[in-house]
Amino acid sequence: MGREQYTTTTEGTHIERPENQCVYKIGIYGWRKRCLYLFVLLLLIILVVNFALTIWILKVMWFFPTGMGHLQVTKDGLRLEGESEFLFPLYAKEICSRTDSPLLLQSTQNVTLNARNSEGEVTGRLKVGPQMVEVQSQQFQISSKDGKPLFTADEKEVVVGTGKLRVTGPEGALFEHSVETPLVTADPFPDLRLESPTRSLSMNAPRGIHIKALAGEIEALSQEDIILHSSEGTLVLDAETLCLPKLVQGTQGPAGSSQGLYEICVCPDGKLFLSAAGMATTCQEHSHICL
């Protein structure tokens, strides 16, 4: 490496430079300079392309200061216009639609709504599938707009809070066990039928059973016995005409003795039969009917 020499002179003095003087060139020259310019040009092109792609993405995705596309950020939360598809679970405190349009949730498989506690356990679930709607909760309740319970179901009982429960099926309602109700009625024109195809039909009430037909007749049919029982009171058949058309009749006595009149006889087991009337009772004469 050469050594630089420094000489101090005064005016009017001429000193000759040494012959062996070292000259240093500062800067980048030759192929290195051309490579540097090429690299800077390449970076500039990449910057322009990235800027153009960013502008294109912002335009395609509809980015705005207030949101992105149909999704807008407001002071009350997020507002989404049009149809949206969520590929992963959606967590929200409240989901509501516009006042002039309904809220539609649809899926090709099922729609599931879960409610969780602070520990992350599912406390309530509503699952709408292609075959059925499943509700998993301690209690299921449907209320009216004023908060009155209309239908409540839990593990112990099902409560219908409406003024009238209407069953519109052609086969009526099927109950596998007992039913407790203060009133059973039909529509004004169709008949009311209470039947048990393979078992017995029993009606019990602590203070009486009232069967009323205002515009028709009451008919009771049974394959075996029909029992009307009152534990403390009496059985009253109050009507202008009481007909028992299929009662067993005893043999009529001598001609003209009964004058076409009959008396009703009762067997010890409660069986009724007719006996031709006479001057005295004739039930004993036909007691063989009770056997």
Side-chain angles (χ1 to χ4, degrees):
M1 182 176 181
R3 178 182 300 175
E4 296 182 355
Q5 297 179 358
Y6 299 91
T7 306
T8 303
T9 59
T10 58
E11 295 181 358
T13 305
H14 177 72
I15 299 177
E16 296 181 356
R17 295 180 180 272
E19 295 180 357
N20 297 330
Q21 183 178 3
C22 297
V23 179
Y24 295 95
K25 295 182 180 180
I26 301 175
I28 301 176
Y29 301 93
W31 65 272
R32 293 185 179 88
K33 183 177 182 180
R34 290 191 293 271
C35 291
L36 180 61
Y37 287 164
L38 182 61
F39 181 72
V40 172
L41 180 60
L42 181 61
L43 289 179
L44 183 61
I45 293 175
I46 294 176
L47 180 62
V48 172
V49 172
N50 286 338
F51 183 75
L53 289 177
T54 303
I55 298 298
W56 180 77
I57 292 175
L58 292 176
K59 184 177 180 181
V60 171
M61 299 299 294
W62 294 359
F63 277 98
F64 298 98
T66 58
M68 179 185 69
H70 296 294
L71 182 63
Q72 299 180 4
V73 181
T74 62
K75 62 179 181 179
D76 298 329
L78 298 179
R79 180 174 180 178
L80 187 59
E81 300 287 345
E83 298 182 0
S84 300
E85 180 179 356
F86 298 93
L87 302 179
F88 298 97
L90 175 63
Y91 298 90
K93 182 179 179 180
E94 180 181 357
I95 300 177
C96 59
S97 65
R98 292 170 41 178
T99 56
D100 57 347
S101 62
L103 177 62
L104 175 62
L105 301 177
Q106 63 180 5
S107 173
T108 56
Q109 298 296 327
N110 58 68
V111 177
T112 304
L113 303 178
N114 293 330
R116 302 178 181 271
N117 55 15
S118 58
E119 298 178 357
E121 299 177 352
V122 177
T123 58
R125 173 176 296 171
L126 173 62
K127 182 178 180 181
V128 181
Q131 300 296 332
M132 69 174 182
V133 177
E134 179 182 354
V135 179
Q136 179 181 352
S137 180
Q138 295 181 356
Q139 186 181 59
F140 176 73
Q141 179 173 324
I142 300 176
S143 302
S144 61
K145 61 180 181 180
D146 55 354
K148 179 182 178 181
L150 301 179
F151 180 85
T152 305
D154 55 19
E155 295 181 357
K156 298 182 179 180
E157 62 180 2
V158 175
V159 179
V160 179
T162 58
K164 179 183 295 185
L165 175 62
R166 184 184 298 272
V167 180
T168 59
E171 299 296 331
L174 175 63
F175 300 95
E176 296 183 358
H177 301 284
S178 61
V179 179
E180 296 182 9
T181 176
L183 177 63
V184 178
T185 182
D187 287 337
F189 296 102
D191 297 334
L192 174 63
R193 298 176 57 187
L194 301 177
E195 63 178 18
S196 177
T198 58
R199 294 292 186 268
S200 61
L201 177 61
S202 175
M203 293 186 291
N204 301 320
R207 301 187 61 181
I209 298 175
H210 299 273
I211 303 176
K212 182 182 298 184
L214 299 178
E217 60 182 12
I218 297 176
E219 183 179 359
L221 300 177
S222 176
Q223 183 69 25
E224 296 182 358
D225 299 335
I226 297 178
I227 301 175
L228 302 178
H229 175 70
S230 177
S231 58
E232 297 181 358
T234 58
L235 179 62
V236 178
L237 301 177
D238 186 5
E240 294 182 358
T241 303
L242 181 61
C243 297
L244 302 174
K246 294 186 178 181
L247 282 181
V248 179
Q249 296 184 10
T251 57
Q252 191 173 0
S257 61
S258 64
Q259 299 180 357
L261 300 179
Y262 293 87
E263 62 176 327
I264 298 178
C265 302
V266 182
C267 298
D269 59 356
K271 182 179 179 180
L272 301 179
F273 65 93
L274 291 178
S275 177
M279 297 297 295
T281 179
T282 58
C283 292
Q284 295 294 336
E285 299 178 2
H286 308 289
S287 59
H288 62 278
I289 298 177
C290 298
L291 299 178

